[in-house]
Amino acid sequence: MSKEYLKKDDVNLFLSALYYSINKSIGEVVGTGGMVLGRRASKEMINFFREEGILKDDMSFDDIKELFVNKFGLSEDLKIENKEDSVIFYVIKPTLSKFLQKINEHNLKPYICPFIHLLSYLYEELNNHRFRLMLADVQQEYDTDTVKLIFKKIN
């Protein structure tokens, strides 16, 4: 009897369903306090990745991009725009686009997301914690298949 393994698209659909259901449940059970839960979960992800030797000290943005795009395969590309009072991450062709689409369609907050808190935490660390990043908006651009994660800098 041969085993059938999930194909990449099936895995992405499964992960999209998982993230969607977690975020919807958090919104219904915890409410807006879910953002604190999301940030805390990302901190534990970072600890896990450090223990596994995936994250290292003094990572550059190119290292972070390599991690998200090539190692984890979460998007085709990742760009950043660093402004005086904000930081915008451009997630180009995300692999979990169905999750992001459903979150947007149902007007749910992305409390737990592989990008949002993990990217913001790593970027804060990259900048020696001179500021914190608070999620201000998530915008999905369907024509370019890009998700803009807009963070406000907090001193």
Side-chain angles (χ1 to χ4, degrees), residues 60-111:
S60 68
F61 180 71
D62 286 338
D63 293 331
I64 294 169
K65 180 179 171 179
E66 172 72 21
L67 183 71
F68 277 83
V69 173
N70 297 324
K71 182 140 183 92
F72 295 147
L74 291 171
S75 67
E76 193 171 286
D77 200 3
L78 180 65
K79 296 183 179 172
I80 189 168
E81 185 177 353
N82 188 2
K83 297 182 174 187
E84 187 173 322
D85 62 342
S86 64
V87 174
I88 303 171
F89 293 99
Y90 295 87
V91 182
I92 300 161
K93 296 188 179 178
T95 56
L96 300 180
S97 58
K98 188 57 100 173
F99 156 66
L100 297 167
Q101 177 187 348
K102 289 289 187 187
I103 286 280
N104 194 26
E105 282 176 10
H106 296 269
N107 200 28
L108 298 173
K109 299 287 183 201
Y111 300 115

Side-chain angles (χ1 to χ4, degrees), residues 4-19 72-74 95-99:
E4 289 190 34
Y5 294 98
L6 290 175
K7 294 176 180 66
K8 186 177 181 179
D9 288 341
D10 295 333
V11 170
N12 290 339
L13 186 61
F14 175 81
L15 290 174
S16 286
L18 177 65
Y19 276 107
F72 295 147
L74 291 171
T95 56
L96 300 180
S97 58
K98 188 57 100 173
F99 156 66

Side-chain angles (χ1 to χ4, degrees), residues 89-94 97 100 138-141 144-149:
F89 293 99
Y90 295 87
V91 182
I92 300 161
K93 296 188 179 178
S97 58
L100 297 167
V138 176
Q139 298 175 357
Q140 199 161 3
E141 298 176 350
T144 61
D145 199 10
T146 298
V147 175
K148 288 171 48 176
L149 304 174

Side-chain angles (χ1 to χ4, degrees), residues 28-65:
E28 291 174 358
V29 175
V30 181
T32 57
M35 286 308 235
V36 174
L37 179 63
R39 187 145 178 101
R40 184 69 180 104
S42 69
K43 189 173 182 179
E44 290 305 320
M45 284 178 72
I46 286 172
N47 291 339
F48 180 90
F49 291 142
R50 278 212 169 97
E51 289 173 7
E52 293 296 313
I54 294 170
L55 296 181
K56 56 188 182 217
D57 293 331
D58 302 322
M59 290 181 70
S60 68
F61 180 71
D62 286 338
D63 293 331
I64 294 169
K65 180 179 171 179

